[in-house]
Amino acid sequence: MPYPISHRSLSNTILKITFLLLLYFLALGSAITKTTVPENQGSIVKVVQSGDTYHLECNGKPFFIKGAGGDGSKKLLHEMGGNSIRTWGVDNLQAILDDAQKQGLMVTAGIWLGHTEHGFNYNNSDQVADQMEMVRKAVLKFKDHPALLMWSLGNEMEGYDKGDNAAIWSAVNNLASMVKKIDRNHPVMTVIAEIGGDKVKNIHRLCPDIDIVGINSYGGGPTVAARYGQLGGQKPYILTEYGPPGIWETGKNSSNMTPELTSTEKADYYRKTYIGSIESQKKCLGSYAFTWGNKQEATSTWFGLLLPDGSRLGAVDTLSELWTGKIPANKCPQISTLKLLGKDQIEAGADVKAELQVSSPIGDSITVTWELRSDSSALNLNGDAEAVPRNYPEAIINPTSNQVQLHMPKYKGGYRLFAAARDMHGGAAAANVPIMVTSGEDLHAASRAVTKLPLILYDEAERSDLPFSPSGYMGNTGAIKMNLAYTSNPHTGKVCIQAQYNATDSWGGVVWMNPANDWGQKPGGYNLTGASRLSFWARGEKGGEALTFLCGVLGNDKPFSDSVQLKLESPVITKEWKQFSFDLNGKELTRLKCGFGWIAAAKGEAVTFYLDDIRID
């Protein structure tokens, strides 16, 4: 017969079984937990204060921003020691975040806010409410991405004067409060144009929910830290744009033209700003240099850190050294001077020589290219897109690596001679010199000479030679968004235009202009005599969008008008690509300043549509 089991033995056995079961379920629970946690956890970023000193903490580790804003190579940015990029809007943000994560970069996600000069009214409750809903949707969509560093509300929406519109600051703070309730894991910043007037005071007293002040500063970059303290700045700050002095901060020469620093001189200015206002500053959390890429603004080289082909300029080497503490192995070429051998005021058709002194610090061979272009007639303070000025390749005679002869065009006005020096390791240097032609025909008559056709208004976003700039915003401009490099389902090529009117009532539109952002006060435009049609391809997000398309906008009440004004009203828009056209046969086409445009009317919902392959034949 079996031995009887004592109560004590039974109790011990039960305890052992219970303990083993507990271990089993704990192990099972752990396994379940491991398999249900997403692979890509969202980032956790904090602003940490210690006395009067601040720093960022990203996923538990200190993070000092070494970044840039722009569309240049993210791989190159990472290789040069950068750790972050900045955007101005949420267009294409998913792809930007994914690419940044792949390259080991964090993203300050900008959310564009309406500007009063574009027609946004911060006292209009409907506009403010629509903007708040747009921000809410963006934060909900992207808040858990592992490459997200922080949110940045707006860019210079307060304008360029005192910054004393309380309605703007109230809207910004309400947005910041909402963002922080939705996303407790990322700080919120707003970005201002310099720090003059009452901007610093008003952000501190009217925007308690803003964690960080973003400051765009160029000529004043080296003194931002000192001036911010003198103005009572207590919140931490980030230099969100900096670079060489802007054209608005630079004196003119005797011909009333603005000389531009060489890329070598600009590199020194980036260094001055970094040392003076970024490095070792108690309230500075880092910086974003402008612009990581290439942009036509004042000139084609004024603000770019890269040339259009991706070649890096000297400021990139300087930033890399400041970010990493190491001098790059293959330093860019350096330009000592670019000068005219003679006067900078000459007659039409005259010959003039210019001399370039350039060298390679690493002894690399250097190739130099030359261009003569009209000087830009646009003086943009708000960063809007500009049309690239006309090129005169026929003026370049006997170019060498250190000298060129020019045969000047027959038109009076301003020109710039550009020199670009490239080495064998992706490095470059750039400079230009202004030239004034004092006699001859009107310079702008050059653009009104009969233009060679076809004239391409848009096919791929990276082109820098397009004649018209999509810079003329109309109607409820604060509700307009345009992405000129939308990658999903283009008609041809790699990209198309995504156009959005994000309000539920009223209307908005954009006009392609020459010169940029000019409503008939300046000469310009093109003589398209002999053109037979303007054609373009369009498709809608849903189909049936209420759209009107334009060719020519400016009437005879303007000093410089379009010689024709045409409308294509209520075309049948479908979800598939469809070609539309204007018949230009027999039309007066001697001056077209507004080559193309669109107007979207909202009927209770926002409008999204797409454009591609816009051309005049």
mmCIF file of all heavy atoms in Angstrom, residues 455-502:
data_model
loop_
_atom_site.group_PDB
_atom_site.id
_atom_site.type_symbol
_atom_site.label_atom_id
_atom_site.label_comp_id
_atom_site.label_asym_id
_atom_site.label_seq_id
_atom_site.Cartn_x
_atom_site.Cartn_y
_atom_site.Cartn_z
ATOM 1 N N LEU A 455 8.861 76.329 -74.761
ATOM 2 C CA LEU A 455 9.260 76.929 -73.502
ATOM 3 C C LEU A 455 8.680 76.075 -72.375
ATOM 4 O O LEU A 455 7.467 75.944 -72.246
ATOM 5 C CB LEU A 455 8.719 78.360 -73.416
ATOM 6 C CG LEU A 455 9.228 79.202 -72.242
ATOM 7 C CD1 LEU A 455 10.717 79.479 -72.383
ATOM 8 C CD2 LEU A 455 8.457 80.508 -72.131
ATOM 9 N N ILE A 456 9.561 75.463 -71.595
ATOM 10 C CA ILE A 456 9.128 74.549 -70.539
ATOM 11 C C ILE A 456 8.861 75.342 -69.252
ATOM 12 O O ILE A 456 9.746 76.035 -68.753
ATOM 13 C CB ILE A 456 10.187 73.467 -70.263
ATOM 14 C CG1 ILE A 456 10.547 72.722 -71.562
ATOM 15 C CG2 ILE A 456 9.693 72.488 -69.206
ATOM 16 C CD1 ILE A 456 9.399 72.026 -72.220
ATOM 17 N N LEU A 457 7.644 75.253 -68.732
ATOM 18 C CA LEU A 457 7.307 75.913 -67.476
ATOM 19 C C LEU A 457 7.489 74.974 -66.288
ATOM 20 O O LEU A 457 7.764 75.411 -65.180
ATOM 21 C CB LEU A 457 5.864 76.427 -67.500
ATOM 22 C CG LEU A 457 5.626 77.756 -68.230
ATOM 23 C CD1 LEU A 457 5.838 77.605 -69.725
ATOM 24 C CD2 LEU A 457 4.229 78.293 -67.943
ATOM 25 N N TYR A 458 7.286 73.661 -66.524
ATOM 26 C CA TYR A 458 7.542 72.667 -65.481
ATOM 27 C C TYR A 458 7.611 71.288 -66.125
ATOM 28 O O TYR A 458 6.755 70.920 -66.914
ATOM 29 C CB TYR A 458 6.431 72.656 -64.417
ATOM 30 C CG TYR A 458 6.659 71.601 -63.342
ATOM 31 C CD1 TYR A 458 7.375 71.916 -62.199
ATOM 32 C CD2 TYR A 458 6.200 70.303 -63.501
ATOM 33 C CE1 TYR A 458 7.619 70.951 -61.218
ATOM 34 C CE2 TYR A 458 6.442 69.335 -62.533
ATOM 35 C CZ TYR A 458 7.150 69.662 -61.399
ATOM 36 O OH TYR A 458 7.391 68.695 -60.447
ATOM 37 N N ASP A 459 8.691 70.544 -65.804
ATOM 38 C CA ASP A 459 8.699 69.114 -66.077
ATOM 39 C C ASP A 459 9.318 68.346 -64.924
ATOM 40 O O ASP A 459 8.778 67.355 -64.469
ATOM 41 C CB ASP A 459 9.361 68.781 -67.418
ATOM 42 C CG ASP A 459 10.777 69.301 -67.539
ATOM 43 O OD1 ASP A 459 11.309 69.863 -66.568
ATOM 44 O OD2 ASP A 459 11.370 69.135 -68.630
ATOM 45 N N GLU A 460 10.447 68.823 -64.381
ATOM 46 C CA GLU A 460 11.056 68.211 -63.204
ATOM 47 C C GLU A 460 11.468 69.319 -62.252
ATOM 48 O O GLU A 460 11.996 70.348 -62.661
ATOM 49 C CB GLU A 460 12.273 67.363 -63.586
ATOM 50 C CG GLU A 460 11.927 66.112 -64.392
ATOM 51 C CD GLU A 460 11.121 65.110 -63.576
ATOM 52 O OE1 GLU A 460 11.621 64.623 -62.553
ATOM 53 O OE2 GLU A 460 9.979 64.810 -63.966
ATOM 54 N N ALA A 461 11.259 69.094 -60.954
ATOM 55 C CA ALA A 461 11.450 70.170 -59.973
ATOM 56 C C ALA A 461 12.891 70.620 -59.856
ATOM 57 O O ALA A 461 13.158 71.766 -59.511
ATOM 58 C CB ALA A 461 10.945 69.702 -58.607
ATOM 59 N N GLU A 462 13.869 69.720 -60.139
ATOM 60 C CA GLU A 462 15.255 70.095 -59.899
ATOM 61 C C GLU A 462 15.829 71.018 -60.966
ATOM 62 O O GLU A 462 16.955 71.484 -60.839
ATOM 63 C CB GLU A 462 16.138 68.846 -59.783
ATOM 64 C CG GLU A 462 16.190 67.997 -61.044
ATOM 65 C CD GLU A 462 15.177 66.869 -61.025
ATOM 66 O OE1 GLU A 462 14.202 66.963 -60.251
ATOM 67 O OE2 GLU A 462 15.351 65.887 -61.764
ATOM 68 N N ARG A 463 15.075 71.302 -62.049
ATOM 69 C CA ARG A 463 15.577 72.208 -63.079
ATOM 70 C C ARG A 463 15.742 73.618 -62.523
ATOM 71 O O ARG A 463 14.901 74.115 -61.796
ATOM 72 C CB ARG A 463 14.636 72.237 -64.277
ATOM 73 C CG ARG A 463 14.660 70.954 -65.096
ATOM 74 C CD ARG A 463 13.802 71.069 -66.323
ATOM 75 N NE ARG A 463 14.195 72.182 -67.183
ATOM 76 C CZ ARG A 463 13.937 72.221 -68.486
ATOM 77 N NH1 ARG A 463 13.312 71.210 -69.065
ATOM 78 N NH2 ARG A 463 14.295 73.260 -69.206
ATOM 79 N N SER A 464 16.847 74.265 -62.888
ATOM 80 C CA SER A 464 17.109 75.621 -62.397
ATOM 81 C C SER A 464 16.964 76.677 -63.488
ATOM 82 O O SER A 464 17.307 77.833 -63.272
ATOM 83 C CB SER A 464 18.532 75.684 -61.814
ATOM 84 O OG SER A 464 19.498 75.383 -62.812
ATOM 85 N N ASP A 465 16.473 76.270 -64.680
ATOM 86 C CA ASP A 465 16.420 77.198 -65.809
ATOM 87 C C ASP A 465 14.996 77.520 -66.233
ATOM 88 O O ASP A 465 14.767 77.972 -67.352
ATOM 89 C CB ASP A 465 17.180 76.599 -66.996
ATOM 90 C CG ASP A 465 16.586 75.254 -67.454
ATOM 91 O OD1 ASP A 465 15.839 74.648 -66.670
ATOM 92 O OD2 ASP A 465 16.890 74.828 -68.594
ATOM 93 N N LEU A 466 14.026 77.298 -65.360
ATOM 94 C CA LEU A 466 12.638 77.518 -65.749
ATOM 95 C C LEU A 466 12.322 79.011 -65.780
ATOM 96 O O LEU A 466 12.764 79.770 -64.917
ATOM 97 C CB LEU A 466 11.702 76.776 -64.795
ATOM 98 C CG LEU A 466 11.907 75.258 -64.769
ATOM 99 C CD1 LEU A 466 10.934 74.602 -63.801
ATOM 100 C CD2 LEU A 466 11.740 74.660 -66.164
ATOM 101 N N PRO A 467 11.531 79.468 -66.770
ATOM 102 C CA PRO A 467 11.369 80.910 -66.996
ATOM 103 C C PRO A 467 10.433 81.613 -66.023
ATOM 104 O O PRO A 467 10.556 82.808 -65.802
ATOM 105 C CB PRO A 467 10.813 80.970 -68.417
ATOM 106 C CG PRO A 467 10.073 79.668 -68.580
ATOM 107 C CD PRO A 467 10.872 78.660 -67.817
ATOM 108 N N PHE A 468 9.458 80.890 -65.472
ATOM 109 C CA PHE A 468 8.469 81.516 -64.607
ATOM 110 C C PHE A 468 8.528 80.891 -63.218
ATOM 111 O O PHE A 468 8.791 79.693 -63.067
ATOM 112 C CB PHE A 468 7.048 81.342 -65.168
ATOM 113 C CG PHE A 468 6.824 82.031 -66.486
ATOM 114 C CD1 PHE A 468 6.909 81.326 -67.669
ATOM 115 C CD2 PHE A 468 6.523 83.382 -66.530
ATOM 116 C CE1 PHE A 468 6.695 81.948 -68.896
ATOM 117 C CE2 PHE A 468 6.305 84.012 -67.741
ATOM 118 C CZ PHE A 468 6.395 83.303 -68.933
ATOM 119 N N SER A 469 8.256 81.688 -62.212
ATOM 120 C CA SER A 469 8.286 81.239 -60.824
ATOM 121 C C SER A 469 6.866 81.161 -60.266
ATOM 122 O O SER A 469 6.100 82.129 -60.383
ATOM 123 C CB SER A 469 9.096 82.232 -59.981
ATOM 124 O OG SER A 469 8.839 82.085 -58.607
ATOM 125 N N PRO A 470 6.473 80.047 -59.636
ATOM 126 C CA PRO A 470 5.133 79.945 -59.036
ATOM 127 C C PRO A 470 5.071 80.725 -57.730
ATOM 128 O O PRO A 470 4.980 80.158 -56.643
ATOM 129 C CB PRO A 470 4.968 78.434 -58.824
ATOM 130 C CG PRO A 470 6.356 77.930 -58.643
ATOM 131 C CD PRO A 470 7.225 78.788 -59.509
ATOM 132 N N SER A 471 5.102 82.045 -57.841
ATOM 133 C CA SER A 471 5.264 82.900 -56.664
ATOM 134 C C SER A 471 4.089 83.840 -56.419
ATOM 135 O O SER A 471 4.048 84.519 -55.391
ATOM 136 C CB SER A 471 6.538 83.740 -56.823
ATOM 137 O OG SER A 471 6.512 84.468 -58.039
ATOM 138 N N GLY A 472 3.109 83.894 -57.338
ATOM 139 C CA GLY A 472 1.998 84.830 -57.187
ATOM 140 C C GLY A 472 0.805 84.186 -56.507
ATOM 141 O O GLY A 472 -0.066 83.612 -57.169
ATOM 142 N N TYR A 473 0.743 84.296 -55.176
ATOM 143 C CA TYR A 473 -0.341 83.676 -54.408
ATOM 144 C C TYR A 473 -1.548 84.620 -54.354
ATOM 145 O O TYR A 473 -1.399 85.832 -54.164
ATOM 146 C CB TYR A 473 0.129 83.346 -52.991
ATOM 147 C CG TYR A 473 0.957 82.077 -52.918
ATOM 148 C CD1 TYR A 473 2.122 81.938 -53.652
ATOM 149 C CD2 TYR A 473 0.564 81.009 -52.117
ATOM 150 C CE1 TYR A 473 2.884 80.771 -53.596
ATOM 151 C CE2 TYR A 473 1.315 79.841 -52.045
ATOM 152 C CZ TYR A 473 2.466 79.735 -52.791
ATOM 153 O OH TYR A 473 3.199 78.570 -52.736
ATOM 154 N N MET A 474 -2.751 84.060 -54.494
ATOM 155 C CA MET A 474 -3.976 84.855 -54.571
ATOM 156 C C MET A 474 -5.032 84.268 -53.647
ATOM 157 O O MET A 474 -4.995 83.088 -53.281
ATOM 158 C CB MET A 474 -4.535 84.852 -55.998
ATOM 159 C CG MET A 474 -3.572 85.255 -57.083
ATOM 160 S SD MET A 474 -4.353 85.185 -58.743
ATOM 161 C CE MET A 474 -4.623 83.426 -58.925
ATOM 162 N N GLY A 475 -6.035 85.103 -53.301
ATOM 163 C CA GLY A 475 -7.171 84.632 -52.514
ATOM 164 C C GLY A 475 -6.779 84.321 -51.078
ATOM 165 O O GLY A 475 -5.995 85.052 -50.456
ATOM 166 N N ASN A 476 -7.316 83.251 -50.543
ATOM 167 C CA ASN A 476 -7.004 82.811 -49.180
ATOM 168 C C ASN A 476 -5.659 82.099 -49.212
ATOM 169 O O ASN A 476 -5.566 80.872 -49.214
ATOM 170 C CB ASN A 476 -8.108 81.885 -48.669
ATOM 171 C CG ASN A 476 -7.850 81.401 -47.251
ATOM 172 O OD1 ASN A 476 -6.900 81.823 -46.599
ATOM 173 N ND2 ASN A 476 -8.688 80.503 -46.779
ATOM 174 N N THR A 477 -4.601 82.885 -49.229
ATOM 175 C CA THR A 477 -3.265 82.326 -49.468
ATOM 176 C C THR A 477 -2.784 81.443 -48.324
ATOM 177 O O THR A 477 -1.953 80.558 -48.538
ATOM 178 C CB THR A 477 -2.246 83.454 -49.703
ATOM 179 O OG1 THR A 477 -2.244 84.330 -48.560
ATOM 180 C CG2 THR A 477 -2.611 84.259 -50.931
ATOM 181 N N GLY A 478 -3.284 81.684 -47.118
ATOM 182 C CA GLY A 478 -2.846 80.867 -45.987
ATOM 183 C C GLY A 478 -3.272 79.417 -46.100
ATOM 184 O O GLY A 478 -2.716 78.547 -45.429
ATOM 185 N N ALA A 479 -4.252 79.140 -46.973
ATOM 186 C CA ALA A 479 -4.741 77.766 -47.124
ATOM 187 C C ALA A 479 -4.080 77.041 -48.296
ATOM 188 O O ALA A 479 -4.418 75.893 -48.580
ATOM 189 C CB ALA A 479 -6.261 77.781 -47.322
ATOM 190 N N ILE A 480 -3.122 77.704 -48.965
ATOM 191 C CA ILE A 480 -2.505 77.121 -50.159
ATOM 192 C C ILE A 480 -1.212 76.401 -49.795
ATOM 193 O O ILE A 480 -0.384 76.928 -49.055
ATOM 194 C CB ILE A 480 -2.211 78.219 -51.202
ATOM 195 C CG1 ILE A 480 -3.514 78.874 -51.668
ATOM 196 C CG2 ILE A 480 -1.450 77.642 -52.391
ATOM 197 C CD1 ILE A 480 -3.290 80.108 -52.515
ATOM 198 N N LYS A 481 -1.038 75.209 -50.331
ATOM 199 C CA LYS A 481 0.209 74.452 -50.203
ATOM 200 C C LYS A 481 0.595 73.957 -51.592
ATOM 201 O O LYS A 481 -0.253 73.472 -52.339
ATOM 202 C CB LYS A 481 0.044 73.247 -49.279
ATOM 203 C CG LYS A 481 -0.349 73.604 -47.863
ATOM 204 C CD LYS A 481 0.830 74.055 -47.061
ATOM 205 C CE LYS A 481 0.439 74.273 -45.607
ATOM 206 N NZ LYS A 481 1.566 74.605 -44.768
ATOM 207 N N MET A 482 1.878 74.069 -51.913
ATOM 208 C CA MET A 482 2.356 73.535 -53.196
ATOM 209 C C MET A 482 3.635 72.754 -52.956
ATOM 210 O O MET A 482 4.598 73.268 -52.376
ATOM 211 C CB MET A 482 2.630 74.664 -54.183
ATOM 212 C CG MET A 482 1.366 75.247 -54.772
ATOM 213 S SD MET A 482 1.288 75.086 -56.561
ATOM 214 C CE MET A 482 2.648 76.089 -57.079
ATOM 215 N N ASN A 483 3.648 71.502 -53.379
ATOM 216 C CA ASN A 483 4.839 70.657 -53.342
ATOM 217 C C ASN A 483 5.283 70.456 -54.782
ATOM 218 O O ASN A 483 4.627 69.770 -55.549
ATOM 219 C CB ASN A 483 4.521 69.316 -52.666
ATOM 220 C CG ASN A 483 5.737 68.415 -52.570
ATOM 221 O OD1 ASN A 483 6.819 68.745 -53.063
ATOM 222 N ND2 ASN A 483 5.582 67.281 -51.921
ATOM 223 N N LEU A 484 6.413 71.071 -55.148
ATOM 224 C CA LEU A 484 6.892 71.024 -56.531
ATOM 225 C C LEU A 484 7.664 69.752 -56.836
ATOM 226 O O LEU A 484 8.128 69.573 -57.972
ATOM 227 C CB LEU A 484 7.771 72.239 -56.823
ATOM 228 C CG LEU A 484 7.102 73.607 -56.659
ATOM 229 C CD1 LEU A 484 8.086 74.720 -56.977
ATOM 230 C CD2 LEU A 484 5.867 73.734 -57.527
ATOM 231 N N ALA A 485 7.826 68.889 -55.865
ATOM 232 C CA ALA A 485 8.594 67.649 -56.068
ATOM 233 C C ALA A 485 7.843 66.471 -55.467
ATOM 234 O O ALA A 485 8.383 65.685 -54.701
ATOM 235 C CB ALA A 485 9.981 67.786 -55.469
ATOM 236 N N TYR A 486 6.570 66.348 -55.809
ATOM 237 C CA TYR A 486 5.732 65.258 -55.293
ATOM 238 C C TYR A 486 6.050 63.987 -56.076
ATOM 239 O O TYR A 486 6.004 63.972 -57.318
ATOM 240 C CB TYR A 486 4.256 65.633 -55.437
ATOM 241 C CG TYR A 486 3.307 64.686 -54.740
ATOM 242 C CD1 TYR A 486 3.191 64.713 -53.360
ATOM 243 C CD2 TYR A 486 2.543 63.780 -55.466
ATOM 244 C CE1 TYR A 486 2.321 63.856 -52.706
ATOM 245 C CE2 TYR A 486 1.665 62.919 -54.821
ATOM 246 C CZ TYR A 486 1.553 62.966 -53.430
ATOM 247 O OH TYR A 486 0.703 62.111 -52.780
ATOM 248 N N THR A 487 6.375 62.925 -55.378
ATOM 249 C CA THR A 487 6.938 61.741 -56.029
ATOM 250 C C THR A 487 5.919 60.657 -56.363
ATOM 251 O O THR A 487 6.237 59.703 -57.052
ATOM 252 C CB THR A 487 8.028 61.124 -55.143
ATOM 253 O OG1 THR A 487 7.469 60.827 -53.851
ATOM 254 C CG2 THR A 487 9.201 62.079 -54.974
ATOM 255 N N SER A 488 4.694 60.771 -55.883
ATOM 256 C CA SER A 488 3.714 59.714 -56.094
ATOM 257 C C SER A 488 2.971 59.902 -57.416
ATOM 258 O O SER A 488 2.331 60.931 -57.637
ATOM 259 C CB SER A 488 2.707 59.683 -54.935
ATOM 260 O OG SER A 488 1.728 58.693 -55.137
ATOM 261 N N ASN A 489 3.083 58.932 -58.317
ATOM 262 C CA ASN A 489 2.323 58.875 -59.565
ATOM 263 C C ASN A 489 2.447 60.145 -60.415
ATOM 264 O O ASN A 489 1.453 60.779 -60.767
ATOM 265 C CB ASN A 489 0.841 58.596 -59.268
ATOM 266 C CG ASN A 489 0.022 58.367 -60.537
ATOM 267 O OD1 ASN A 489 0.569 57.966 -61.563
ATOM 268 N ND2 ASN A 489 -1.268 58.622 -60.462
ATOM 269 N N PRO A 490 3.672 60.575 -60.777
ATOM 270 C CA PRO A 490 3.792 61.694 -61.726
ATOM 271 C C PRO A 490 3.329 61.269 -63.112
ATOM 272 O O PRO A 490 3.273 60.071 -63.418
ATOM 273 C CB PRO A 490 5.292 62.007 -61.706
ATOM 274 C CG PRO A 490 5.929 60.712 -61.339
ATOM 275 C CD PRO A 490 4.975 60.020 -60.393
ATOM 276 N N HIS A 491 3.034 62.248 -63.963
ATOM 277 C CA HIS A 491 2.652 61.899 -65.334
ATOM 278 C C HIS A 491 3.854 61.368 -66.102
ATOM 279 O O HIS A 491 3.784 60.338 -66.763
ATOM 280 C CB HIS A 491 2.066 63.119 -66.061
ATOM 281 C CG HIS A 491 1.785 62.849 -67.506
ATOM 282 N ND1 HIS A 491 2.520 63.409 -68.529
ATOM 283 C CD2 HIS A 491 0.869 62.037 -68.107
ATOM 284 C CE1 HIS A 491 2.063 62.973 -69.688
ATOM 285 N NE2 HIS A 491 1.051 62.145 -69.469
ATOM 286 N N THR A 492 4.969 62.085 -66.025
ATOM 287 C CA THR A 492 6.230 61.613 -66.587
ATOM 288 C C THR A 492 7.345 61.970 -65.623
ATOM 289 O O THR A 492 7.180 62.806 -64.736
ATOM 290 C CB THR A 492 6.521 62.257 -67.958
ATOM 291 O OG1 THR A 492 6.584 63.683 -67.796
ATOM 292 C CG2 THR A 492 5.483 61.895 -68.980
ATOM 293 N N GLY A 493 8.507 61.375 -65.804
ATOM 294 C CA GLY A 493 9.649 61.689 -64.962
ATOM 295 C C GLY A 493 9.492 61.178 -63.544
ATOM 296 O O GLY A 493 8.749 60.232 -63.273
ATOM 297 N N LYS A 494 10.186 61.838 -62.624
ATOM 298 C CA LYS A 494 10.242 61.388 -61.240
ATOM 299 C C LYS A 494 9.260 62.107 -60.326
ATOM 300 O O LYS A 494 8.874 61.577 -59.289
ATOM 301 C CB LYS A 494 11.663 61.580 -60.692
ATOM 302 C CG LYS A 494 12.732 60.775 -61.408
ATOM 303 C CD LYS A 494 14.105 61.050 -60.807
ATOM 304 C CE LYS A 494 15.189 60.249 -61.529
ATOM 305 N NZ LYS A 494 16.538 60.554 -60.967
ATOM 306 N N VAL A 495 8.873 63.336 -60.668
ATOM 307 C CA VAL A 495 8.051 64.132 -59.761
ATOM 308 C C VAL A 495 6.987 64.899 -60.541
ATOM 309 O O VAL A 495 7.061 65.047 -61.764
ATOM 310 C CB VAL A 495 8.905 65.135 -58.953
ATOM 311 C CG1 VAL A 495 9.895 64.422 -58.048
ATOM 312 C CG2 VAL A 495 9.651 66.099 -59.886
ATOM 313 N N CYS A 496 6.003 65.382 -59.803
ATOM 314 C CA CYS A 496 4.998 66.288 -60.346
ATOM 315 C C CYS A 496 4.696 67.340 -59.287
ATOM 316 O O CYS A 496 5.349 67.394 -58.244
ATOM 317 C CB CYS A 496 3.733 65.524 -60.747
ATOM 318 S SG CYS A 496 2.894 64.700 -59.368
ATOM 319 N N ILE A 497 3.703 68.190 -59.544
ATOM 320 C CA ILE A 497 3.293 69.212 -58.583
ATOM 321 C C ILE A 497 2.047 68.730 -57.852
ATOM 322 O O ILE A 497 1.079 68.302 -58.480
ATOM 323 C CB ILE A 497 2.980 70.545 -59.295
ATOM 324 C CG1 ILE A 497 4.226 71.089 -60.001
ATOM 325 C CG2 ILE A 497 2.433 71.573 -58.298
ATOM 326 C CD1 ILE A 497 3.949 72.292 -60.884
ATOM 327 N N GLN A 498 2.090 68.790 -56.532
ATOM 328 C CA GLN A 498 0.871 68.597 -55.736
ATOM 329 C C GLN A 498 0.409 69.977 -55.276
ATOM 330 O O GLN A 498 1.158 70.708 -54.623
ATOM 331 C CB GLN A 498 1.126 67.713 -54.520
ATOM 332 C CG GLN A 498 -0.128 67.470 -53.684
ATOM 333 C CD GLN A 498 0.175 66.834 -52.334
ATOM 334 O OE1 GLN A 498 0.955 67.373 -51.554
ATOM 335 N NE2 GLN A 498 -0.429 65.691 -52.070
ATOM 336 N N ALA A 499 -0.812 70.351 -55.643
ATOM 337 C CA ALA A 499 -1.378 71.646 -55.262
ATOM 338 C C ALA A 499 -2.566 71.413 -54.340
ATOM 339 O O ALA A 499 -3.423 70.564 -54.624
ATOM 340 C CB ALA A 499 -1.813 72.430 -56.494
ATOM 341 N N GLN A 500 -2.610 72.158 -53.240
ATOM 342 C CA GLN A 500 -3.669 71.980 -52.260
ATOM 343 C C GLN A 500 -4.262 73.324 -51.853
ATOM 344 O O GLN A 500 -3.531 74.297 -51.651
ATOM 345 C CB GLN A 500 -3.133 71.273 -51.009
ATOM 346 C CG GLN A 500 -2.636 69.859 -51.253
ATOM 347 C CD GLN A 500 -2.003 69.268 -50.009
ATOM 348 O OE1 GLN A 500 -0.992 69.750 -49.518
ATOM 349 N NE2 GLN A 500 -2.600 68.205 -49.485
ATOM 350 N N TYR A 501 -5.579 73.361 -51.761
ATOM 351 C CA TYR A 501 -6.283 74.480 -51.143
ATOM 352 C C TYR A 501 -7.013 73.886 -49.947
ATOM 353 O O TYR A 501 -7.988 73.138 -50.093
ATOM 354 C CB TYR A 501 -7.254 75.148 -52.111
ATOM 355 C CG TYR A 501 -8.014 76.284 -51.471
ATOM 356 C CD1 TYR A 501 -7.361 77.451 -51.100
ATOM 357 C CD2 TYR A 501 -9.377 76.174 -51.206
ATOM 358 C CE1 TYR A 501 -8.049 78.489 -50.488
ATOM 359 C CE2 TYR A 501 -10.068 77.208 -50.599
ATOM 360 C CZ TYR A 501 -9.399 78.364 -50.238
ATOM 361 O OH TYR A 501 -10.081 79.388 -49.617
ATOM 362 N N ASN A 502 -6.512 74.167 -48.740
ATOM 363 C CA ASN A 502 -6.903 73.423 -47.550
ATOM 364 C C ASN A 502 -8.035 74.045 -46.748
ATOM 365 O O ASN A 502 -8.285 73.630 -45.615
ATOM 366 C CB ASN A 502 -5.685 73.209 -46.642
ATOM 367 C CG ASN A 502 -4.691 72.237 -47.263
ATOM 368 O OD1 ASN A 502 -5.095 71.220 -47.813
ATOM 369 N ND2 ASN A 502 -3.417 72.566 -47.191
#
